[in-house]
Amino acid sequence: MSSRQEAERLDRDDPLASFRAEFVIPDNDLVYLDGNSLGRTPKATVARLKQVVENEWAGNLISSWDHWLDMPRVVGNRMGSIIGSLSGEVAVHDSTTLNLYQGVHIALALRPDRKVLAVAADEFPTDRYVVEGIAHDLGLTVRPLEPDIDLHDVAVVVRSVIDYRTAEICDVKAFTSLATEAGALVLWDLSHTAGAIEFDVHALGVELAVGCTYKFLNGGPGAPAWTYVSENLHSQIQQPIKGWFAQKDQFDMEMPFAPHDDIRRVLLGTPHILSLIAAEEGIALSERVGMKQIAAKGQALTAFAMQVVDHFGLTTSTPRDPQRRGCHIAISHPRAKELVADLATHHKVLADVRPPDIVRLGLSPLTTRFTDVWDGLQRLSHLISG
Amino acid sequence: MSSRQEAERLDRDDPLASFRAEFVIPDNDLVYLDGNSLGRTPKATVARLKQVVENEWAGNLISSWDHWLDMPRVVGNRMGSIIGSLSGEVAVHDSTTLNLYQGVHIALALRPDRKVLAVAADEFPTDRYVVEGIAHDLGLTVRPLEPDIDLHDVAVVVRSVIDYRTAEICDVKAFTSLATEAGALVLWDLSHTAGAIEFDVHALGVELAVGCTYKFLNGGPGAPAWTYVSENLHSQIQQPIKGWFAQKDQFDMEMPFAPHDDIRRVLLGTPHILSLIAAEEGIALSERVGMKQIAAKGQALTAFAMQVVDHFGLTTSTPRDPQRRGCHIAISHPRAKELVADLATHHKVLADVRPPDIVRLGLSPLTTRFTDVWDGLQRLSHLISG
């Protein structure tokens, strides 16, 4: 039987409970269940930003570019530890949208004879827009990703590992293997995955992936995204936006374009250092705790949430099997939008709505308490039962 | 006759001298002559970042997106006051490289029958790389921009208003008019222009422009860049990267792509809020002082610099006519690289080198003192004369 007492006991026994103290939390009574849209603020980020602004920018000025220049790769290596990639396989840069655009083009250059892109009709909007936009401009076909899809003529499938509504985890290994057998590439979107569950690109056969850092990785609002390209493909990275941060001898200004032979081929313009610093601190915290521990906490949070959902008789589309769900849960209700607004305005619960009928609750392993889960769902159920 | 006394007198009489106190300057003896690569740190930026991180991010969390969402346009409107554009004509977003890529594509969509792009062989590298990359991918021709260039079949010319080496200002009005008569568009790069000289896109007939904010606008390391599109072209903006921040009903997630009818058509993914905040504060300071005053100070600084250059018998490729130069000056010397390194290591002067033989000194109107100009050039001349 679920109860607030049980939630309190789970909080007391939580081996990661102490990490909440590493975040800036001005209002400890606020029930924040939207860490999957915007993670909280690590205290280390506040300190580091101050140091970077006052010492590196104001103090050392242009000299700081000596070490800022390589930050997309340095932070990329930290990011790699979250998704199981090797050193040099990830760059942290730009936005998920831009990185998807590049990723699709990288895949197309690797499969020049194929004229079909695949994406699910209910995939996250920006992923669909990118795919459809490229298909439109290049005269390619978009095939809806459905269970029995024929991949034999598909260049690349763009697919989220975790569904942004239900949190369902797809079978990455099986699907990658299926695609590989058909000669298709898969560009995986790990936006709701990285920092939420354990993931190992190499064990799963993943060659291309992108994702954001501002959700479970607590990288800050609009923190730069990342691109992973398996090392075996680095020399073949071709993407359409040629910029000076991909250039091998960047400051020999007179040269023709001759990019690096590594992940820096995806870089374009000057990295957004302040946002990148915040991304680094967020990622570094998850790196320090370790994804095994974080994933275990995430599973415990969602397992408890599913119990509470049943306790209050709520309806969820999130999988029952803990191996098949990420770190958010979806409550279905026709008045989802009003409920979320009411929770925020009157009940100190910040949740998220995903049209048409989903109340989405993000359970962020490093900051969400079991009591937050109880309180949030209890208040939601009171609103529903009116 | 130039002298340090004259520099001191000019500093005393400088109507903008007090604005230096609005910047974080830990070492007042440092002669910083690289504000055209990285502007200094406004104190307002330090305070605003702290407020945004601690109150808006840590405190209000996801709710802050209510006002962050429109920041690319809000900051864009401030940026518009620097370049003379109307409300709604500028978005601050992404990087100059990305914005050039989009800008060339916007122009190509407006001139679908033309197969030639033009860029100078000695244009800033990232501008050339972008143009050459697009031409390569689309099977277009790149024609070198030379004085007698034939523009009758050119879709778009990419051109810097101010040369990144010599600071020479090109005749924007005459060239735009010439291009327009030939049916060609011009995508102007204002990276070394915005915040350095007065500029009025509408008076000059400019329809497309991009630029950075981290130089004379003091927007911080890797601060987001901006895109200006003349309002008459907004409904025709077509660019290849379709992202959810261009979408009219962004959070009605199930819809097909249907972008705004305005400058937001250039937006892609989630804006890098921390970097964008710093850009806003930098731009806001220049907006408050006013470009007329800033440009006058810039001209006074470079006029004094040219006197000192002559006084010490240095060689410059920067135009003598103050109407034809921006806010940096180029000293030619075969040992440019060693001289700049020596100045930084032993003489407390931070300058810049542009291969093969240019020592570049950026004179930033809000922070550079006339005594910095004297001291920097004096120390440089001592090094040269050995």
Side-chain angles (χ1 to χ4, degrees):
Chain A
M1 195 65 182
S2 298
S3 65
R4 196 170 202 285
Q5 286 67 36
E6 191 188 345
E8 288 165 7
R9 182 187 61 74
L10 288 165
D11 278 334
R12 276 195 304 274
D13 295 345
D14 172 14
L16 301 193
S18 65
F19 286 100
R20 194 172 148 94
E22 300 205 19
F23 290 82
V24 181
I25 300 183
D27 178 359
N28 207 37
D29 294 333
L30 178 72
V31 176
Y32 188 54
L33 298 174
D34 207 3
N36 56 327
S37 281
L38 176 64
R40 283 188 178 272
T41 315
K43 288 177 180 168
T45 304
V46 180
R48 178 88 185 283
L49 274 172
K50 184 174 155 64
Q51 186 266 327
V52 167
V53 169
E54 297 182 10
N55 300 349
E56 297 184 25
W57 175 14
N60 299 331
L61 294 155
I62 195 68
S63 320
S64 293
W65 271 111
D66 291 348
H67 70 273
W68 287 340
L69 266 186
D70 207 28
M71 274 196 65
R73 281 204 305 174
V74 169
V75 186
N77 283 339
R78 289 189 183 278
M79 188 61 224
S81 76
I82 306 293
I83 60 166
S85 64
L86 306 173
S87 175
E89 288 186 318
V90 175
V92 174
H93 69 108
D94 295 290
S95 65
T96 310
T97 299
L98 189 274
N99 301 4
L100 284 165
Y101 177 80
Q102 290 185 312
V104 170
H105 276 283
I106 290 169
L108 282 168
L110 291 164
R111 295 289 182 275
D113 297 331
R114 297 193 172 204
K115 308 295 177 200
V116 183
L117 307 177
V119 68
D122 62 351
E123 185 51 89
F124 189 82
T126 215
D127 301 60
R128 285 191 287 113
Y129 303 158
V130 164
V131 168
E132 288 160 8
I134 292 172
H136 175 269
D137 287 354
L138 301 185
L140 308 176
T141 302
V142 178
R143 183 170 300 157
L145 177 61
E146 288 169 0
D148 59 348
I149 187 170
D150 176 7
L151 295 172
H152 83 276
D153 56 351
V154 168
V156 59
V157 183
V158 173
R159 184 167 187 184
S160 287
V161 170
I162 291 183
D163 186 286
Y164 76 98
R165 288 149 309 207
T166 64
E168 180 169 356
I169 306 175
C170 79
D171 188 337
V172 175
K173 190 165 189 174
F175 187 77
T176 302
S177 165
L178 189 78
T180 304
E181 278 165 33
L185 292 159
V186 188
L187 172 58
W188 290 101
D189 184 342
L190 271 70
S191 290
H192 289 84
T193 305
I197 63 171
E198 282 192 279
F199 200 83
D200 185 328
V201 286
H202 289 292
L204 296 165
V206 170
E207 292 186 303
L208 296 170
V210 300
C212 75
T213 64
Y214 53 71
K215 297 176 187 288
F216 296 104
L217 292 167
N218 307 298
W226 52 270
T227 298
Y228 154 80
V229 180
S230 176
E231 195 172 30
N232 61 299
L233 299 177
H234 282 192
S235 64
Q236 299 169 71
I237 295 175
Q238 295 286 351
Q239 57 85 17
I241 314 170
K242 318 294 192 208
W244 67 323
F245 270 73
Q247 177 77 350
K248 203 178 292 180
D249 298 302
Q250 185 179 357
F251 294 99
D252 290 352
M253 316 288 276
E254 307 290 315
M255 311 290 285
F257 185 65
H260 290 284
D261 288 326
D262 55 37
I263 193 68
R264 284 173 288 186
R265 283 179 172 235
V266 302
L267 301 183
L268 316 176
T270 311
H272 310 296
I273 295 300
L274 302 183
S275 289
L276 189 50
I277 290 291
E280 178 167 27
E281 289 300 328
I283 296 165
L285 182 50
S286 285
E287 189 184 20
R288 177 153 59 85
V289 180
M291 280 314 303
K292 189 178 166 72
Q293 304 269 51
I294 289 173
K297 169 79 180 283
Q299 283 198 5
L301 282 167
T302 53
F304 180 65
M306 296 302 267
Q307 278 179 40
V308 181
V309 161
D310 291 342
H311 176 84
F312 288 117
L314 301 171
T315 307
T316 181
S317 51
T318 298
R320 295 275 157 187
D321 177 356
Q323 301 300 322
R324 287 189 52 228
R325 68 174 176 246
C327 279
H328 62 275
I329 62 166
I331 311 292
S332 307
H333 196 280
R335 290 188 293 117
K337 194 171 172 182
E338 293 84 338
L339 290 168
V340 168
D342 201 356
L343 282 172
T345 313
H346 302 297
H347 302 281
K348 296 200 72 155
V349 178
L350 293 184
D352 209 350
V353 60
R354 282 296 172 253
D357 64 349
I358 290 177
V359 177
R360 190 175 71 167
L361 307 177
L363 312 181
S364 197
L366 293 176
T367 57
T368 304
R369 298 165 294 195
F370 291 90
T371 43
D372 290 327
V373 174
W374 173 268
D375 292 343
L377 285 166
Q378 184 191 43
R379 291 173 207 175
L380 174 63
S381 99
H382 282 188
L383 283 184
I384 289 174
S385 56
Chain B
M1 195 66 183
S2 298
S3 65
R4 196 170 202 284
Q5 285 67 36
E6 191 188 346
E8 288 166 7
R9 182 187 61 74
L10 287 165
D11 278 334
R12 276 194 304 274
D13 295 346
D14 172 15
L16 301 192
S18 65
F19 285 101
R20 194 172 148 95
E22 299 205 18
F23 290 82
V24 181
I25 300 183
D27 178 359
N28 207 37
D29 294 333
L30 178 72
V31 176
Y32 188 54
L33 298 174
D34 207 3
N36 56 326
S37 281
L38 176 64
R40 282 188 179 272
T41 315
K43 288 177 181 169
T45 304
V46 180
R48 178 87 185 285
L49 274 172
K50 183 174 156 64
Q51 186 267 327
V52 167
V53 169
E54 296 183 10
N55 300 349
E56 297 184 25
W57 174 14
N60 299 332
L61 294 156
I62 194 69
S63 320
S64 293
W65 271 111
D66 291 348
H67 71 274
W68 288 340
L69 267 186
D70 207 27
M71 275 196 66
R73 282 204 304 174
V74 169
V75 186
N77 283 339
R78 289 190 183 278
M79 187 62 224
S81 76
I82 307 293
I83 60 165
S85 63
L86 306 173
S87 174
E89 288 186 319
V90 175
V92 174
H93 69 108
D94 295 290
S95 65
T96 310
T97 299
L98 190 274
N99 301 3
L100 284 164
Y101 178 80
Q102 290 185 314
V104 170
H105 276 283
I106 290 168
L108 282 168
L110 291 164
R111 296 289 182 274
D113 298 331
R114 297 193 172 205
K115 307 296 177 199
V116 184
L117 307 177
V119 68
D122 62 351
E123 184 52 88
F124 188 82
T126 215
D127 301 59
R128 284 191 287 114
Y129 303 157
V130 164
V131 168
E132 288 160 9
I134 292 172
H136 175 269
D137 287 354
L138 301 185
L140 307 176
T141 302
V142 178
R143 183 171 300 158
L145 177 60
E146 288 168 0
D148 59 348
I149 187 170
D150 176 7
L151 295 171
H152 83 277
D153 56 350
V154 168
V156 59
V157 183
V158 173
R159 184 168 187 183
S160 287
V161 170
I162 292 182
D163 187 285
Y164 75 97
R165 288 149 309 207
T166 64
E168 179 169 357
I169 305 176
C170 79
D171 188 337
V172 175
K173 191 165 188 173
F175 187 77
T176 303
S177 165
L178 188 78
T180 304
E181 278 165 33
L185 292 159
V186 188
L187 172 58
W188 290 101
D189 184 342
L190 271 71
S191 290
H192 288 84
T193 304
I197 64 171
E198 282 192 279
F199 200 83
D200 185 327
V201 285
H202 289 292
L204 296 166
V206 170
E207 291 187 302
L208 296 170
V210 300
C212 75
T213 65
Y214 53 71
K215 297 175 187 289
F216 296 105
L217 292 166
N218 307 298
W226 52 271
T227 298
Y228 154 80
V229 180
S230 175
E231 195 172 30
N232 61 299
L233 299 178
H234 282 193
S235 65
Q236 299 169 73
I237 295 175
Q238 295 286 351
Q239 58 84 17
I241 313 169
K242 318 295 192 208
W244 67 323
F245 271 73
Q247 176 77 349
K248 203 179 291 179
D249 298 302
Q250 185 179 358
F251 295 98
D252 289 352
M253 317 288 275
E254 306 289 315
M255 311 289 285
F257 186 65
H260 290 285
D261 288 325
D262 54 37
I263 192 69
R264 283 173 289 186
R265 283 179 172 235
V266 302
L267 301 183
L268 316 176
T270 311
H272 311 296
I273 295 301
L274 302 183
S275 289
L276 188 50
I277 290 290
E280 178 167 27
E281 289 300 328
I283 296 165
L285 182 50
S286 285
E287 189 184 20
R288 177 153 59 85
V289 180
M291 280 313 304
K292 190 179 167 70
Q293 304 269 53
I294 289 173
K297 169 78 180 285
Q299 283 198 5
L301 282 167
T302 54
F304 180 65
M306 295 302 267
Q307 278 179 41
V308 181
V309 161
D310 290 342
H311 176 84
F312 288 116
L314 301 170
T315 307
T316 180
S317 51
T318 297
R320 295 274 158 187
D321 177 355
Q323 301 300 322
R324 287 189 52 228
R325 69 175 175 244
C327 279
H328 61 276
I329 62 166
I331 311 292
S332 307
H333 196 280
R335 289 188 293 116
K337 194 172 172 181
E338 292 85 338
L339 290 168
V340 168
D342 201 356
L343 282 172
T345 313
H346 301 297
H347 302 281
K348 295 200 74 155
V349 178
L350 292 185
D352 209 349
V353 60
R354 282 296 172 252
D357 64 350
I358 290 177
V359 177
R360 190 175 71 166
L361 307 178
L363 312 181
S364 197
L366 293 176
T367 56
T368 304
R369 298 165 294 194
F370 291 91
T371 43
D372 291 327
V373 174
W374 173 268
D375 293 343
L377 285 166
Q378 185 191 42
R379 292 174 206 175
L380 175 63
S381 99
H382 282 188
L383 283 185
I384 288 174
S385 56

